[in-house]
Amino acid sequence: MSQDSNNKNLDKNFKLMALSAVVLLVLFIYTIYKSSSHIQGSSYYIGIIFLFILLFLALLLRAKQEKVKDFFNKNKKQTTAFDDEIVKNRAKISNEDLNSNIQAVTSNITFKDVAGINEIKEELEEVVDFLNNPKKYLEYGVKLPKGVLLVGPPGVGKTLIARAVAGEADVPFFYQSGASFVQIYVGMGAKKVRELFAKAKQSAPAIIFIDEIDAVGKARSGKSNDERESTLNELLTQMDGFDGDSGVIVIAATNKIEVLDDALLRAGRFDRRVHVGLPNINDRKKILELYLNNKNHEINIEKLVNETAGFSSAALATLINEALLNMIKDNKKILNNSDIQVAKNKLEFGKKQIKILDDKQKEILAIYQASKSFISKTKVALFDESVEKLNSTYPSFQELRENIRRDLAGFIGVEVIKKEKYAINHEDLEKAFKTANDVVNKYKMLNSVDELLLDIKNDLRNELSQNVEEINRLKDIMLKNEVITFDDI
């Protein structure tokens, strides 16, 4: 009945438009006839041409009115389908789950407030676009990923990024930490998960952000049924309980993806993973420019960027804040390099939060990462914790061996270039040993772990020794840009 009413309104509008054009045209011609002796310019003729165009458009729309009706009905149907799905989800929510103190916040942070994450912004912009323009995707039957997992070390801005997504989309933002779900009393953690999702569905479109999800999402052992596992089971159930067009998107953050339960990472839950690493040299420059904006300072930003290798975005914010506190303490009006130096000393020696690399340490790390990039032929950043591996469902012996080579390449590269062994990233060693152990003890491909590792190390020494110039070239690129791209290899 509503559609018939809309069609009648369209017919009426077409007729009124055509009638108006005809009446105006007649009046205009009559005016010209009566006042032809006073016409001095071309405005009259422009007006009459405009009215003829109006009349032509009215006749054209009248001829194509069926297609116009279909267009409006189609778009209305798409938008209504999205709204209907949200209404259905709200109808399924029990009043008990809505009676909680969980409240949404409105984020006033947008992407322009977060510097140095251009690649991450590109990945998340379609999430924002879907929340703002759902019909564009529903037209093709596209559903957005239910969950986005932000992976990276502490302090790189994972929470800030999630808030920026909510701010860009202008939707309610529900923040919870993984630890807040871990309750002493049986069933309370699962209840809080239900309440969180119920509130989000009621406010849809909305974003749920779960910080440090590893606190509740650790792999289940199967040997117990404790409160944490019950909470995880409820989280898995809730993420299965809504579709990609429900208007609710879950964003979670962790720095320990390896401990998460496989069921949480499978397709249909956290479909997309976004790796947020430590900022490189260009990122740090943008971050520092943002933090020093509107500050009266005499800081050489280019010099400071090179001196803060290894700093996270949070550490850079702390550095500038500590420097400003020192400026105020000394009753100064301008922030200068002496304030920065005091702040760096506090971070390095007082709080023990950050490892500040000197030129020698930075060179060693650059050789380490350049060697991994050379062997793997992949993009590697200065502070990447790992390198891209071959990932097959049924890995061959050569693929497993290649993964061990990629883990050991950095150690052997530094040994070859510096003529000395250095203790750099023990996690790469542990990964190499684990893979070698799987080759021997799990897959029974060889008889000795030590012989396999020794053979690979000798192979790497030989290859890297023959390519010292290339390693040094990549090292220089790494020191300059703090990243080696595919184009550099």
Side-chain angles (χ1 to χ4, degrees):
M1 185 172 180
S2 177
Q3 187 172 336
D4 291 339
S5 176
N6 288 334
N7 290 340
K8 288 177 182 177
N9 287 333
L10 282 171
D11 287 339
K12 187 177 179 181
N13 288 335
F14 288 144
K15 290 175 183 177
L16 285 172
M17 186 177 175
L19 182 62
S20 298
V22 171
V23 170
L24 287 170
L25 187 61
V26 170
L27 287 173
F28 204 88
I29 293 172
Y30 178 75
T31 302
I32 291 175
Y33 173 74
K34 288 292 186 181
S35 309
S36 59
S37 59
H38 302 290
I39 295 175
Q40 301 295 328
S42 60
S43 58
Y44 282 102
Y45 299 107
I46 293 173
I48 200 168
I49 291 170
F50 172 76
L51 287 174
F52 271 118
I53 292 172
L54 184 63
L55 180 60
F56 173 75
L57 287 174
L59 295 173
L60 180 65
L61 289 172
R62 176 68 180 176
K64 303 287 185 179
Q65 63 176 314
E66 292 302 324
K67 290 186 178 180
V68 175
K69 290 174 188 175
D70 290 342
F71 174 78
F72 282 108
N73 290 333
K74 182 180 179 182
N75 279 278
K76 184 177 185 300
K77 186 176 181 181
Q78 288 170 356
T79 306
T80 304
F82 181 70
D83 294 336
D84 287 347
E85 185 63 33
I86 291 175
V87 170
K88 286 178 185 177
N89 278 293
R90 288 175 180 169
K92 295 174 185 176
I93 303 169
S94 70
N95 291 328
E96 183 183 352
D97 289 335
L98 292 174
N99 294 329
S100 71
N101 57 4
I102 296 174
Q103 297 295 329
V105 296
T106 302
S107 174
N108 57 1
I109 296 170
T110 61
F111 284 151
K112 66 180 175 59
D113 301 311
V114 188
I117 56 165
N118 289 336
E119 292 182 3
I120 296 165
K121 285 178 186 176
E122 289 174 7
E123 284 208 51
L124 295 176
E125 274 172 354
E126 68 180 38
V127 174
V128 173
D129 192 38
F130 181 89
L131 291 170
N132 287 332
N133 307 296
K135 65 181 182 182
K136 183 169 80 173
Y137 296 88
L138 296 174
E139 180 182 358
Y140 299 99
V142 175
K143 294 186 178 182
L144 203 67
K146 292 182 184 179
V148 178
L149 186 63
L150 302 176
V151 184
V156 293
K158 298 187 289 292
T159 304
L160 193 64
I161 291 168
R163 287 186 179 276
V165 173
E168 286 284 337
D170 194 22
V171 297
F173 181 77
F174 291 86
Y175 173 89
Q176 290 290 316
S177 68
S180 69
F181 295 117
V182 181
Q183 304 286 333
I184 298 174
Y185 303 105
V186 175
M188 291 303 293
K191 183 175 185 292
K192 192 163 187 178
V193 172
R194 286 196 302 274
E195 290 173 348
L196 174 63
F197 277 81
K199 284 279 189 176
K201 290 174 184 176
Q202 184 190 40
S203 305
I207 290 175
I208 294 173
F209 179 67
I210 304 175
D211 199 7
E212 305 297 342
I213 194 173
D214 46 273
V216 70
K218 288 181 180 177
R220 292 164 291 185
S221 63
K223 297 178 181 178
S224 63
N225 187 25
D226 60 14
E227 172 63 6
R228 185 185 60 78
E229 291 195 3
S230 299
T231 305
L232 174 57
N233 288 335
E234 183 62 38
L235 177 60
L236 297 173
T237 301
Q238 289 294 331
M239 290 197 72
D240 275 342
F242 65 90
D243 295 323
D245 54 3
S246 67
V248 178
I249 294 173
V250 183
I251 302 178
T254 182
N255 55 3
K256 298 177 180 178
I257 189 173
E258 67 277 0
V259 305
L260 294 181
D261 195 274
D262 289 339
L264 200 59
L265 298 175
R266 75 155 173 82
R269 291 191 178 116
F270 286 103
D271 301 287
R272 184 170 301 182
R273 300 176 196 177
V274 178
H275 292 270
V276 187
L278 290 170
N280 61 34
I281 195 166
N282 292 324
D283 294 336
R284 291 200 304 277
K285 183 178 179 181
K286 292 176 183 176
I287 292 168
L288 287 170
E289 286 173 345
L290 181 65
Y291 289 150
L292 290 170
N293 187 34
N294 297 324
K295 305 285 192 305
N296 195 7
H297 71 88
E298 296 176 344
I299 306 296
N300 185 335
I301 293 180
E302 295 289 345
K303 184 172 180 289
L304 184 56
V305 165
N306 288 312
E307 292 175 350
T308 51
F311 277 50
S312 66
S313 54
L316 291 171
T318 303
L319 177 71
I320 299 302
N321 191 64
E322 289 283 354
L324 288 168
L325 289 173
N326 189 74
M327 179 194 75
I328 294 168
K329 179 183 174 183
D330 293 343
N331 295 317
K332 296 187 297 186
K333 299 296 183 182
I334 300 176
L335 187 69
N336 58 33
N337 289 323
S338 64
D339 300 312
I340 293 292
Q341 192 58 49
V342 171
K344 282 172 68 178
N345 289 336
K346 283 185 179 180
L347 290 173
E348 185 176 10
F349 301 113
K351 298 182 180 180
K352 294 291 182 185
Q353 287 185 343
I354 302 164
K355 295 177 181 178
I356 298 178
L357 302 180
D358 58 29
D359 290 341
K360 180 183 176 183
Q361 292 168 331
K362 194 173 179 181
E363 182 191 19
I364 291 169
L365 184 56
I367 295 170
Y368 184 89
Q369 298 291 55
S371 300
K372 292 205 294 185
S373 180
F374 175 77
I375 292 298
S376 65
K377 299 295 186 287
T378 60
K379 175 184 174 182
V380 177
L382 184 63
F383 296 102
D384 277 352
E385 294 182 355
S386 186
V387 70
E388 186 178 329
K389 304 289 182 59
L390 302 178
N391 188 15
S392 300
T393 305
Y394 305 109
S396 67
F397 171 73
Q398 290 301 328
E399 287 173 329
L400 293 168
R401 193 176 188 279
E402 176 59 26
N403 284 339
I404 298 173
R405 277 166 48 85
R406 295 184 181 193
D407 284 327
L408 295 178
F411 293 99
I412 304 302
V414 173
E415 181 183 332
V416 168
I417 302 294
K418 303 298 287 185
K419 310 300 182 186
E420 187 176 356
K421 294 180 180 180
Y422 283 83
I424 302 175
N425 186 352
H426 67 89
E427 291 184 357
D428 280 344
L429 279 176
E430 291 169 359
K431 290 173 185 173
F433 182 82
K434 182 182 182 302
T435 306
N437 191 60
D438 286 344
V439 169
V440 173
N441 297 314
K442 188 175 181 179
Y443 302 122
K444 311 297 181 184
M445 293 178 174
L446 291 174
N447 296 322
S448 172
V449 172
D450 292 338
E451 287 181 10
L452 174 59
L453 291 174
L454 182 61
D455 178 58
I456 292 174
K457 287 179 182 179
N458 288 335
D459 180 47
L460 285 169
R461 282 192 191 93
N462 182 53
E463 184 174 353
L464 294 171
S465 296
Q466 294 176 13
N467 293 277
V468 170
E469 289 186 8
E470 181 64 12
I471 303 301
N472 281 323
R473 183 185 72 82
L474 293 174
K475 175 203 71 175
D476 292 339
I477 293 173
M478 183 67 83
L479 287 172
K480 181 182 177 182
N481 302 326
E482 294 190 5
V483 64
I484 296 171
T485 66
F486 292 107
D487 295 334
D488 298 322
I489 300 170

